[in-house]
Amino acid sequence: MSVSEVASLLNQDNSSATIGHHGKVPVEHLDYGYIEKCTHTKYLEKILRELRSGEEGMYPHLIQFCEDHLRTLDPTSRALRKEQPIATAGSLPTEEWTEISQDLQQWQEEAKDYEMSRRPSAMFHNAGNENIPPIRSSGASVPLGQNAASKAKKDPPKRALPRDYSQWDTFDVDRECERIDGNVSKKDTPAVINSGHVNIKPGVDVTTLTEKDKLLLADREKDKGNEAFRASDYEEAVVYYSRSLSIVPAVAVYNNRAQTQIKLKHWHRALQDCQRVLEQEPLNLKALLRRATVFQHQDRLSLAAEDLRAVLHVEPHNATASDVEGDDDVATEDEEKAEEHARPVDRRQLAGGEESVVTPVERGDMGNAQKKPHGGHHGDGASADTNHGSTGHFRRGRGGSWDKHKAAGETPGKAANGTGKRGSTASEHGGGGGGSKGGGGSAGVDLDAPCGALPPPLARLKNEGNLLFKNGQFSDALGKYSQAITGCTDSGLDSPEDLCILYSNRAACYLKDGNSQECIQDCTRALELHPFSLKPLLRRAIAYDSMERYRNAYADYKTVLQVDDSVQAAHNSVNRITRLLIEQDGPQWREKLPDIPLVPLSAQQHRREEPPTAEALQARADRTASDTARRAEVRFNALKLEGNDMVKKGRFQDALGKYTECLQLKPGECTVYTNRALCYLKMERFAEAKQDCDAALRLEPTNKKAFYRRALANKGLKDYLASSADLQEVLQQDPGVQEAEKELEEVTALLRQSLDAGAGASPPTAKPRKKVPITEVRSATDSTPRPPSQEVDNTASINLQPADAYEFGQSLNAARSQGNAAACAQLLSSVDPEQLPQLLGNQLDGQALGFVVEALDDHLLARDPGRVYRLLRHLRTADRFTVAVMLLETAERRRVTQLFAHLSAVQSADFTKDDVLNLANKYII
Amino acid sequence: MSTPFEKPQIISHIQKSLNYTIFDSKWIPCSAKFVCLGNLARGTGVMQIYEVARGELRLVKEIENAKPLKCGTFGATSLQQRHIATGDFGGNLNIWDLEAGEAPLYSIATGSRDGTVKVWDPRQKDTPVANMEPGEGHAFNAQDRCVCAGYDNGDIKLFDLRNMSVRWETNIKNGVCCVEFDRKDINMNKLVATSLEGTFHVFDMRTQHPTKGFASVSEKGQKSTIWQVRHLPQNRDVFMTAGGAGNLHLWKYDYPAQRSKEDSEGVSMGVAGTVNLLQNVTLSTQPIASLDWSPDKKGLCVCSAFDQSVRVLIVTKLNRV
């Protein structure tokens, strides 16, 4: 219809409409031709009324025609509403009616039972009805209605006039406030919004109700919640669901509340509700899906994927047991879909990360492509990229087709068939064309790529068609395919496979154009040439489906599933159509189905017959490996999270189990060790805690938490020395940890106590220096192992051969905390003086310095003054030395002076008196 | 998707002719029984209790009253008590214990024929707790303590019982036959008002604009008077209207995407949704006087017409609308 025609028609309509408004409908308008062209619904309604009135005679067919036409224009038109007699039981299918009447019967019996059981409790009045206010005091306080109404009438809100400027001068605030406190507040408030949830209590007191009544009440509250949800009053809905749950905690209500919380973006609460549902029903699909949504929004993608997979384990497996591969793909596909719902997720993270298949896998992508023509192929593209390492595809979606194209090049005979094979069916309709695009990347040069047994001109036509299809120019692609088909038949080419593909491709074009009839014809032709090939079957099914010929569609989908049961779109459609057919035909719907052909075994899942190439096998193995790793990862994370949750709840025993499982999955995870150590600590199993901390420190030698927890464990084990050493390590790493400081104080106090106690009970720990036989000491050199002495017994816990700064620090601290100057002297005598500043690091403080000086003076000076001098000389260059010197206490200062006095008294070749004097100036300020 | 298979159907389950003019019928909560109120030929009132059993109606009890009984409600009772309050042509408000006996528990003389709306508290017999201007039809909402009354000049007024004031009023140009809130035990959400000439209005009661009041949508359901409107107790957005030509219309209210918006001055105002016809049937040649959904069984309803018959109807597929 041309534009001018339409315009004239509109004018005509308008003019006739005006005529119609004034008078009757002209008789010439009561005509098939006129009605058919008329698009003016109001006028059509008028014509219809005229026709129905019978003033111009009765024309039942014309009336029917007019009604049909009006229905296509405006299905809700009032003129189409007809008086209908009431339906009776007879007007329903017998099955449906039986169902209804049985349901009713059951209800009647329940109601009867309820009434019988209810009587005894009839004593309770007003229970569960918290809304009843006290009786309104009647009489004086209640103004009579006439007054209230007339008062309101005199002063209705809508007649509120703006104040004159002069009025504001005499504005009496107090009086106005009084007035507002009276009854007329409404006109001053901008708008009254009755948001429902504000005044509602989230809980209901049902103590006096029977179980049955509780169920009833809970159900009503749930209904209210559902209504509020439908009206998008999510907060109100949450309140009502909570009320319902406070009466009877039902799974369905938790589930609903979870959904509402998702709408409100309260992820954490939604998660809690989902967890509660899943605690009771671990396979509740809705809850799993909702939890997946929550996880996605919390960016915990692997958990979301796990949930989705769980859903898919329940749902598609009802029909068939499909292999793990198929499953995974489906899961990933579902994830993608889910992601499309949940926008803020990075799609590539999942698609690229999880799919490392060698071949893009059939995923029922016709169905997908219909829904989201551009989105569906990202996964394929990503996988193709990983396989071939082909980089620089400017459109990722095309990569999958490139793969197909390459396959076609290698094994033209098979790949060109493109219908049955899993590898090449990924996106056949975008097949060669897409391939050329992807392959060239720069320009679509590959149009002459060989296509099966087709002669080059035909192959070119086909490839052009594919390209056009890919670009969305379906009708142009249609032309190319048609040319190719005629070329094929004319040349008498005997290649049914190629012809089949051409028909199948043309069918895809028809399908895209919405020409279902032609599509079905082409698919049928293709199937005649090559029975049970997947693509034409699927396309025919979709075409039937769109024409609402559900029975045929059902048969085709079923055949598709026989051929390859991993086509998710077919599964979905079968489910949907089954429901539709049951509604349409009742329970005997199966009898009305056309025959579903039995697919011969040879046609089933042909991809399996071809021995996979070594490359494919390798890739598959890789994939399985990465898959297991990924699964382990997912499981590990889940376990860890569960463990953390349990710790939060104080269920340490359970958490312990979870962490142990975690460690079985992944023994190299430091945090799990520290977490488990925490559990052990809480359960007062200190030895195990210590072990875990040690393990953690082996993995991460500077883990603060591990040190802190080991300190606690040591404290629990009464090894205060080690505990304080650990705490000091913590403080050294981060001086701001106040807990550690407190613990350190406590531990030091405990240590002192235990030392005092030990001093009382056992032989003295520190030997007076007089008892050290000087000769022996002198004979001992730095490098030779020390002869076992009494000191060594006491210093068993002190490492006298420090390998690094840390161990040195620990040993020094240990000696200091024991007050064991001899041990310190030994320690100092075993280290290289030049290394001392490095070993001390920034640990030097006043007390440490004092202690070192004491040790040098008491124990080392007599033995090896040269060493003392060197030590002192290098100590001076240590970090924080000047600060430490300033912090020395008086007694310690005296000690320093004493040391230098002793030192200068010694005659040595290593140093002169002047040297000592110079050095002393540095120490004595 | 509204294929023919999805559409709710209204099915006549049981039909029973009576020997009196029936004015009102009400389900007894938590049971398969309902009460019929009417006017016997000899000028006295009658209350009958019927039980639905196996596709038939079984008469459980019959009580005769001195005056014809006009209307009744279980609105002022708890789940346990199930006392019905009835109004008769003698101007009395009676409260009956249906299990106990033949005589009312107590009765209150109100005399509503003087054309006032009075609000009674069943705990207090002597004085009405509120008393308002002439009107007919009322609805009550527990959260707000509002009473809405429609008048035969087309006025609709919303009284606030808390401070005894007119909170809102409007005029729908035709005599108001029936007003009902979509749910009585929540904060007021929607109000449907029906009129003599066959249109009805749905008001969204959540947002009240200072001058424009509540947003509303109107729909012309039928050519005859709409005597009754009843919301489905299990879904407040579905309601049935009963007309003077013996027909029933089942409607669904669809909320707009945003229930409120701001006008040019930034004041919130409501946005009305749309009303869609789900099903319509003609039951009788006489007006349908009363309609009541079962509070317990979704889709079950009882209606009475002036052809002296009571019908139990089943509406199917209500959970799919």
Side-chain angles (χ1 to χ4, degrees), chain A residues 642-678:
Chain A
E642 277 176 51
N644 292 353
D645 282 350
M646 282 166 177
V647 169
K648 274 176 208 146
K649 287 177 195 156
R651 288 157 57 195
F652 300 109
Q653 184 70 51
D654 300 339
L656 204 60
K658 298 282 174 204
Y659 288 135
T660 312
E661 263 183 80
C662 275
L663 288 173
Q664 278 161 6
L665 286 169
K666 232 191 199 186
E669 194 72 4
C670 179
T671 46
V672 183
Y673 278 113
T674 56
N675 287 2
R676 195 170 69 172
L678 179 68

mmCIF file of all heavy atoms in Angstrom, chain A residues 642-678:
data_model
loop_
_atom_site.group_PDB
_atom_site.id
_atom_site.type_symbol
_atom_site.label_atom_id
_atom_site.label_comp_id
_atom_site.label_asym_id
_atom_site.label_seq_id
_atom_site.Cartn_x
_atom_site.Cartn_y
_atom_site.Cartn_z
ATOM 1 N N GLU A 642 31.610 -21.232 54.348
ATOM 2 C CA GLU A 642 30.772 -21.886 55.356
ATOM 3 C C GLU A 642 31.492 -21.900 56.692
ATOM 4 O O GLU A 642 30.895 -21.615 57.737
ATOM 5 C CB GLU A 642 30.459 -23.314 54.933
ATOM 6 C CG GLU A 642 29.300 -23.414 53.962
ATOM 7 C CD GLU A 642 29.099 -24.855 53.504
ATOM 8 O OE1 GLU A 642 29.020 -25.743 54.364
ATOM 9 O OE2 GLU A 642 29.046 -25.085 52.283
ATOM 10 N N GLY A 643 32.763 -22.243 56.601
ATOM 11 C CA GLY A 643 33.549 -22.265 57.821
ATOM 12 C C GLY A 643 33.553 -20.907 58.487
ATOM 13 O O GLY A 643 33.307 -20.799 59.693
ATOM 14 N N ASN A 644 33.780 -19.858 57.701
ATOM 15 C CA ASN A 644 33.812 -18.513 58.271
ATOM 16 C C ASN A 644 32.485 -18.177 58.924
ATOM 17 O O ASN A 644 32.439 -17.601 60.013
ATOM 18 C CB ASN A 644 34.130 -17.486 57.191
ATOM 19 C CG ASN A 644 35.539 -17.624 56.678
ATOM 20 O OD1 ASN A 644 36.321 -18.404 57.224
ATOM 21 N ND2 ASN A 644 35.870 -16.907 55.636
ATOM 22 N N ASP A 645 31.398 -18.555 58.217
ATOM 23 C CA ASP A 645 30.081 -18.273 58.781
ATOM 24 C C ASP A 645 29.920 -18.964 60.125
ATOM 25 O O ASP A 645 29.408 -18.389 61.089
ATOM 26 C CB ASP A 645 28.985 -18.757 57.829
ATOM 27 C CG ASP A 645 28.789 -17.788 56.686
ATOM 28 O OD1 ASP A 645 29.376 -16.684 56.784
ATOM 29 O OD2 ASP A 645 28.084 -18.112 55.735
ATOM 30 N N MET A 646 30.379 -20.210 60.150
ATOM 31 C CA MET A 646 30.215 -20.967 61.384
ATOM 32 C C MET A 646 31.026 -20.343 62.507
ATOM 33 O O MET A 646 30.586 -20.311 63.651
ATOM 34 C CB MET A 646 30.640 -22.406 61.163
ATOM 35 C CG MET A 646 29.559 -23.165 60.428
ATOM 36 S SD MET A 646 30.173 -24.690 59.820
ATOM 37 C CE MET A 646 28.697 -25.355 59.110
ATOM 38 N N VAL A 647 32.206 -19.863 62.147
ATOM 39 C CA VAL A 647 33.010 -19.212 63.171
ATOM 40 C C VAL A 647 32.248 -18.027 63.724
ATOM 41 O O VAL A 647 32.193 -17.806 64.928
ATOM 42 C CB VAL A 647 34.362 -18.759 62.589
ATOM 43 C CG1 VAL A 647 35.071 -17.852 63.562
ATOM 44 C CG2 VAL A 647 35.209 -19.967 62.277
ATOM 45 N N LYS A 648 31.621 -17.285 62.789
ATOM 46 C CA LYS A 648 30.853 -16.122 63.234
ATOM 47 C C LYS A 648 29.748 -16.531 64.179
ATOM 48 O O LYS A 648 29.385 -15.813 65.090
ATOM 49 C CB LYS A 648 30.280 -15.389 62.034
ATOM 50 C CG LYS A 648 31.263 -14.402 61.458
ATOM 51 C CD LYS A 648 30.697 -13.759 60.225
ATOM 52 C CE LYS A 648 31.810 -13.342 59.281
ATOM 53 N NZ LYS A 648 31.425 -13.460 57.903
ATOM 54 N N LYS A 649 29.182 -17.692 63.891
ATOM 55 C CA LYS A 649 28.089 -18.163 64.743
ATOM 56 C C LYS A 649 28.609 -18.859 65.986
ATOM 57 O O LYS A 649 27.823 -19.270 66.831
ATOM 58 C CB LYS A 649 27.206 -19.132 63.960
ATOM 59 C CG LYS A 649 26.354 -18.454 62.916
ATOM 60 C CD LYS A 649 25.576 -19.492 62.151
ATOM 61 C CE LYS A 649 24.996 -18.896 60.884
ATOM 62 N NZ LYS A 649 24.749 -19.962 59.890
ATOM 63 N N GLY A 650 29.885 -19.040 66.049
ATOM 64 C CA GLY A 650 30.446 -19.675 67.234
ATOM 65 C C GLY A 650 30.430 -21.188 67.189
ATOM 66 O O GLY A 650 30.641 -21.834 68.211
ATOM 67 N N ARG A 651 30.194 -21.753 66.002
ATOM 68 C CA ARG A 651 30.176 -23.220 65.927
ATOM 69 C C ARG A 651 31.544 -23.698 65.460
ATOM 70 O O ARG A 651 31.757 -24.050 64.317
ATOM 71 C CB ARG A 651 29.086 -23.671 64.959
ATOM 72 C CG ARG A 651 27.699 -23.473 65.535
ATOM 73 C CD ARG A 651 26.657 -23.382 64.463
ATOM 74 N NE ARG A 651 26.652 -24.552 63.587
ATOM 75 C CZ ARG A 651 26.018 -24.556 62.424
ATOM 76 N NH1 ARG A 651 25.379 -23.492 62.009
ATOM 77 N NH2 ARG A 651 26.033 -25.638 61.695
ATOM 78 N N PHE A 652 32.493 -23.679 66.406
ATOM 79 C CA PHE A 652 33.879 -23.892 66.005
ATOM 80 C C PHE A 652 34.142 -25.315 65.562
ATOM 81 O O PHE A 652 34.941 -25.567 64.680
ATOM 82 C CB PHE A 652 34.806 -23.488 67.150
ATOM 83 C CG PHE A 652 34.651 -22.055 67.514
ATOM 84 C CD1 PHE A 652 34.057 -21.664 68.680
ATOM 85 C CD2 PHE A 652 35.080 -21.066 66.633
ATOM 86 C CE1 PHE A 652 33.902 -20.340 68.996
ATOM 87 C CE2 PHE A 652 34.924 -19.729 66.947
ATOM 88 C CZ PHE A 652 34.325 -19.371 68.119
ATOM 89 N N GLN A 653 33.460 -26.247 66.223
ATOM 90 C CA GLN A 653 33.689 -27.650 65.873
ATOM 91 C C GLN A 653 33.360 -27.875 64.400
ATOM 92 O O GLN A 653 34.131 -28.472 63.659
ATOM 93 C CB GLN A 653 32.811 -28.520 66.769
ATOM 94 C CG GLN A 653 33.026 -30.008 66.567
ATOM 95 C CD GLN A 653 34.381 -30.453 67.097
ATOM 96 O OE1 GLN A 653 34.745 -30.176 68.220
ATOM 97 N NE2 GLN A 653 35.134 -31.141 66.267
ATOM 98 N N ASP A 654 32.179 -27.344 63.971
ATOM 99 C CA ASP A 654 31.763 -27.526 62.581
ATOM 100 C C ASP A 654 32.723 -26.813 61.645
ATOM 101 O O ASP A 654 33.126 -27.350 60.611
ATOM 102 C CB ASP A 654 30.359 -26.963 62.383
ATOM 103 C CG ASP A 654 29.363 -27.662 63.279
ATOM 104 O OD1 ASP A 654 29.698 -28.787 63.713
ATOM 105 O OD2 ASP A 654 28.294 -27.094 63.544
ATOM 106 N N ALA A 655 33.095 -25.593 62.062
ATOM 107 C CA ALA A 655 34.006 -24.818 61.223
ATOM 108 C C ALA A 655 35.310 -25.571 61.029
ATOM 109 O O ALA A 655 35.866 -25.606 59.933
ATOM 110 C CB ALA A 655 34.260 -23.468 61.871
ATOM 111 N N LEU A 656 35.742 -26.214 62.099
ATOM 112 C CA LEU A 656 36.974 -26.988 62.058
ATOM 113 C C LEU A 656 36.905 -28.022 60.944
ATOM 114 O O LEU A 656 37.838 -28.168 60.138
ATOM 115 C CB LEU A 656 37.132 -27.681 63.405
ATOM 116 C CG LEU A 656 38.538 -28.060 63.818
ATOM 117 C CD1 LEU A 656 39.377 -26.824 63.904
ATOM 118 C CD2 LEU A 656 38.476 -28.760 65.160
ATOM 119 N N GLY A 657 35.756 -28.722 60.919
ATOM 120 C CA GLY A 657 35.558 -29.751 59.887
ATOM 121 C C GLY A 657 35.681 -29.153 58.497
ATOM 122 O O GLY A 657 36.374 -29.672 57.627
ATOM 123 N N LYS A 658 35.024 -28.004 58.315
ATOM 124 C CA LYS A 658 35.016 -27.363 56.995
ATOM 125 C C LYS A 658 36.436 -26.993 56.587
ATOM 126 O O LYS A 658 36.860 -27.247 55.459
ATOM 127 C CB LYS A 658 34.163 -26.094 57.018
ATOM 128 C CG LYS A 658 32.718 -26.335 57.349
ATOM 129 C CD LYS A 658 31.977 -26.884 56.146
ATOM 130 C CE LYS A 658 30.556 -27.256 56.558
ATOM 131 N NZ LYS A 658 29.969 -28.255 55.692
ATOM 132 N N TYR A 659 37.164 -26.401 57.529
ATOM 133 C CA TYR A 659 38.510 -25.955 57.183
ATOM 134 C C TYR A 659 39.394 -27.156 56.857
ATOM 135 O O TYR A 659 40.239 -27.104 55.957
ATOM 136 C CB TYR A 659 39.120 -25.153 58.334
ATOM 137 C CG TYR A 659 38.506 -23.794 58.504
ATOM 138 C CD1 TYR A 659 38.154 -23.288 59.737
ATOM 139 C CD2 TYR A 659 38.272 -22.982 57.389
ATOM 140 C CE1 TYR A 659 37.586 -22.050 59.878
ATOM 141 C CE2 TYR A 659 37.708 -21.737 57.533
ATOM 142 C CZ TYR A 659 37.371 -21.274 58.772
ATOM 143 O OH TYR A 659 36.828 -20.043 58.911
ATOM 144 N N THR A 660 39.177 -28.231 57.625
ATOM 145 C CA THR A 660 39.999 -29.412 57.357
ATOM 146 C C THR A 660 39.737 -29.910 55.947
ATOM 147 O O THR A 660 40.667 -30.244 55.204
ATOM 148 C CB THR A 660 39.671 -30.496 58.390
ATOM 149 O OG1 THR A 660 39.683 -29.900 59.680
ATOM 150 C CG2 THR A 660 40.676 -31.617 58.332
ATOM 151 N N GLU A 661 38.446 -29.912 55.570
ATOM 152 C CA GLU A 661 38.102 -30.325 54.206
ATOM 153 C C GLU A 661 38.780 -29.403 53.200
ATOM 154 O O GLU A 661 39.302 -29.852 52.178
ATOM 155 C CB GLU A 661 36.595 -30.258 54.009
ATOM 156 C CG GLU A 661 35.888 -31.590 54.202
ATOM 157 C CD GLU A 661 34.413 -31.449 53.913
ATOM 158 O OE1 GLU A 661 34.063 -31.457 52.720
ATOM 159 O OE2 GLU A 661 33.628 -31.294 54.863
ATOM 160 N N CYS A 662 38.721 -28.111 53.510
ATOM 161 C CA CYS A 662 39.364 -27.121 52.636
ATOM 162 C C CYS A 662 40.813 -27.483 52.406
ATOM 163 O O CYS A 662 41.310 -27.459 51.280
ATOM 164 C CB CYS A 662 39.343 -25.748 53.306
ATOM 165 S SG CYS A 662 37.862 -24.855 53.039
ATOM 166 N N LEU A 663 41.482 -27.837 53.501
ATOM 167 C CA LEU A 663 42.911 -28.089 53.399
ATOM 168 C C LEU A 663 43.184 -29.360 52.626
ATOM 169 O O LEU A 663 44.226 -29.490 51.980
ATOM 170 C CB LEU A 663 43.517 -28.163 54.794
ATOM 171 C CG LEU A 663 43.595 -26.801 55.467
ATOM 172 C CD1 LEU A 663 44.038 -26.941 56.893
ATOM 173 C CD2 LEU A 663 44.573 -25.918 54.708
ATOM 174 N N GLN A 664 42.213 -30.278 52.684
ATOM 175 C CA GLN A 664 42.405 -31.478 51.871
ATOM 176 C C GLN A 664 42.365 -31.105 50.393
ATOM 177 O O GLN A 664 43.086 -31.671 49.583
ATOM 178 C CB GLN A 664 41.315 -32.496 52.177
ATOM 179 C CG GLN A 664 41.637 -33.296 53.424
ATOM 180 C CD GLN A 664 40.424 -33.955 54.005
ATOM 181 O OE1 GLN A 664 39.351 -33.914 53.423
ATOM 182 N NE2 GLN A 664 40.603 -34.561 55.156
ATOM 183 N N LEU A 665 41.492 -30.156 50.073
ATOM 184 C CA LEU A 665 41.385 -29.737 48.682
ATOM 185 C C LEU A 665 42.611 -28.943 48.258
ATOM 186 O O LEU A 665 43.111 -29.068 47.159
ATOM 187 C CB LEU A 665 40.143 -28.869 48.489
ATOM 188 C CG LEU A 665 38.809 -29.608 48.493
ATOM 189 C CD1 LEU A 665 37.673 -28.616 48.557
ATOM 190 C CD2 LEU A 665 38.680 -30.457 47.240
ATOM 191 N N LYS A 666 43.077 -28.123 49.162
ATOM 192 C CA LYS A 666 44.134 -27.190 48.786
ATOM 193 C C LYS A 666 45.036 -27.005 49.980
ATOM 194 O O LYS A 666 44.771 -26.178 50.852
ATOM 195 C CB LYS A 666 43.481 -25.847 48.442
ATOM 196 C CG LYS A 666 43.897 -25.302 47.097
ATOM 197 C CD LYS A 666 43.403 -23.889 47.040
ATOM 198 C CE LYS A 666 43.342 -23.374 45.641
ATOM 199 N NZ LYS A 666 42.990 -21.967 45.627
ATOM 200 N N PRO A 667 46.075 -27.782 50.069
ATOM 201 C CA PRO A 667 46.882 -27.743 51.299
ATOM 202 C C PRO A 667 47.722 -26.471 51.406
ATOM 203 O O PRO A 667 48.251 -26.200 52.464
ATOM 204 C CB PRO A 667 47.775 -28.972 51.207
ATOM 205 C CG PRO A 667 47.473 -29.616 49.884
ATOM 206 C CD PRO A 667 46.605 -28.727 49.088
ATOM 207 N N GLY A 668 47.865 -25.722 50.368
ATOM 208 C CA GLY A 668 48.794 -24.602 50.403
ATOM 209 C C GLY A 668 48.155 -23.264 50.713
ATOM 210 O O GLY A 668 48.624 -22.240 50.250
ATOM 211 N N GLU A 669 47.067 -23.276 51.432
ATOM 212 C CA GLU A 669 46.378 -22.008 51.655
ATOM 213 C C GLU A 669 46.624 -21.535 53.079
ATOM 214 O O GLU A 669 46.159 -22.137 54.055
ATOM 215 C CB GLU A 669 44.889 -22.206 51.396
ATOM 216 C CG GLU A 669 44.126 -20.915 51.257
ATOM 217 C CD GLU A 669 44.430 -20.201 49.945
ATOM 218 O OE1 GLU A 669 45.183 -20.747 49.102
ATOM 219 O OE2 GLU A 669 43.927 -19.097 49.764
ATOM 220 N N CYS A 670 47.367 -20.447 53.172
ATOM 221 C CA CYS A 670 47.797 -19.973 54.478
ATOM 222 C C CYS A 670 46.628 -19.566 55.364
ATOM 223 O O CYS A 670 46.551 -19.895 56.536
ATOM 224 C CB CYS A 670 48.744 -18.790 54.259
ATOM 225 S SG CYS A 670 49.348 -18.073 55.752
ATOM 226 N N THR A 671 45.676 -18.845 54.752
ATOM 227 C CA THR A 671 44.581 -18.288 55.564
ATOM 228 C C THR A 671 43.768 -19.383 56.224
ATOM 229 O O THR A 671 43.282 -19.220 57.343
ATOM 230 C CB THR A 671 43.647 -17.433 54.698
ATOM 231 O OG1 THR A 671 43.383 -18.165 53.520
ATOM 232 C CG2 THR A 671 44.262 -16.115 54.384
ATOM 233 N N VAL A 672 43.614 -20.492 55.524
ATOM 234 C CA VAL A 672 42.819 -21.564 56.116
ATOM 235 C C VAL A 672 43.511 -22.098 57.363
ATOM 236 O O VAL A 672 42.859 -22.392 58.367
ATOM 237 C CB VAL A 672 42.577 -22.682 55.093
ATOM 238 C CG1 VAL A 672 41.705 -23.752 55.698
ATOM 239 C CG2 VAL A 672 41.921 -22.126 53.859
ATOM 240 N N TYR A 673 44.833 -22.188 57.286
ATOM 241 C CA TYR A 673 45.560 -22.641 58.471
ATOM 242 C C TYR A 673 45.322 -21.682 59.633
ATOM 243 O O TYR A 673 45.024 -22.095 60.745
ATOM 244 C CB TYR A 673 47.058 -22.726 58.173
ATOM 245 C CG TYR A 673 47.468 -23.990 57.468
ATOM 246 C CD1 TYR A 673 47.945 -23.960 56.174
ATOM 247 C CD2 TYR A 673 47.362 -25.221 58.110
ATOM 248 C CE1 TYR A 673 48.320 -25.111 55.519
ATOM 249 C CE2 TYR A 673 47.737 -26.381 57.457
ATOM 250 C CZ TYR A 673 48.217 -26.337 56.170
ATOM 251 O OH TYR A 673 48.579 -27.471 55.537
ATOM 252 N N THR A 674 45.446 -20.389 59.330
ATOM 253 C CA THR A 674 45.268 -19.444 60.439
ATOM 254 C C THR A 674 43.844 -19.515 60.963
ATOM 255 O O THR A 674 43.621 -19.449 62.163
ATOM 256 C CB THR A 674 45.599 -18.010 59.995
ATOM 257 O OG1 THR A 674 44.784 -17.707 58.876
ATOM 258 C CG2 THR A 674 47.044 -17.860 59.644
ATOM 259 N N ASN A 675 42.890 -19.689 60.036
ATOM 260 C CA ASN A 675 41.505 -19.774 60.483
ATOM 261 C C ASN A 675 41.291 -21.005 61.353
ATOM 262 O O ASN A 675 40.619 -20.953 62.374
ATOM 263 C CB ASN A 675 40.565 -19.853 59.274
ATOM 264 C CG ASN A 675 40.455 -18.529 58.577
ATOM 265 O OD1 ASN A 675 41.111 -17.566 58.979
ATOM 266 N ND2 ASN A 675 39.657 -18.452 57.543
ATOM 267 N N ARG A 676 41.883 -22.103 60.885
ATOM 268 C CA ARG A 676 41.688 -23.312 61.671
ATOM 269 C C ARG A 676 42.371 -23.161 63.019
ATOM 270 O O ARG A 676 41.863 -23.614 64.049
ATOM 271 C CB ARG A 676 42.234 -24.530 60.931
ATOM 272 C CG ARG A 676 41.725 -25.799 61.552
ATOM 273 C CD ARG A 676 42.036 -26.995 60.701
ATOM 274 N NE ARG A 676 43.462 -27.293 60.673
ATOM 275 C CZ ARG A 676 43.968 -28.397 60.115
ATOM 276 N NH1 ARG A 676 43.154 -29.265 59.541
ATOM 277 N NH2 ARG A 676 45.259 -28.612 60.104
ATOM 278 N N ALA A 677 43.506 -22.460 63.004
ATOM 279 C CA ALA A 677 44.187 -22.226 64.268
ATOM 280 C C ALA A 677 43.274 -21.474 65.223
ATOM 281 O O ALA A 677 43.198 -21.778 66.414
ATOM 282 C CB ALA A 677 45.464 -21.428 64.022
ATOM 283 N N LEU A 678 42.561 -20.507 64.671
ATOM 284 C CA LEU A 678 41.625 -19.746 65.504
ATOM 285 C C LEU A 678 40.612 -20.684 66.134
ATOM 286 O O LEU A 678 40.310 -20.590 67.335
ATOM 287 C CB LEU A 678 40.924 -18.691 64.649
ATOM 288 C CG LEU A 678 39.908 -17.843 65.403
ATOM 289 C CD1 LEU A 678 40.607 -16.961 66.404
ATOM 290 C CD2 LEU A 678 39.096 -17.002 64.450
#
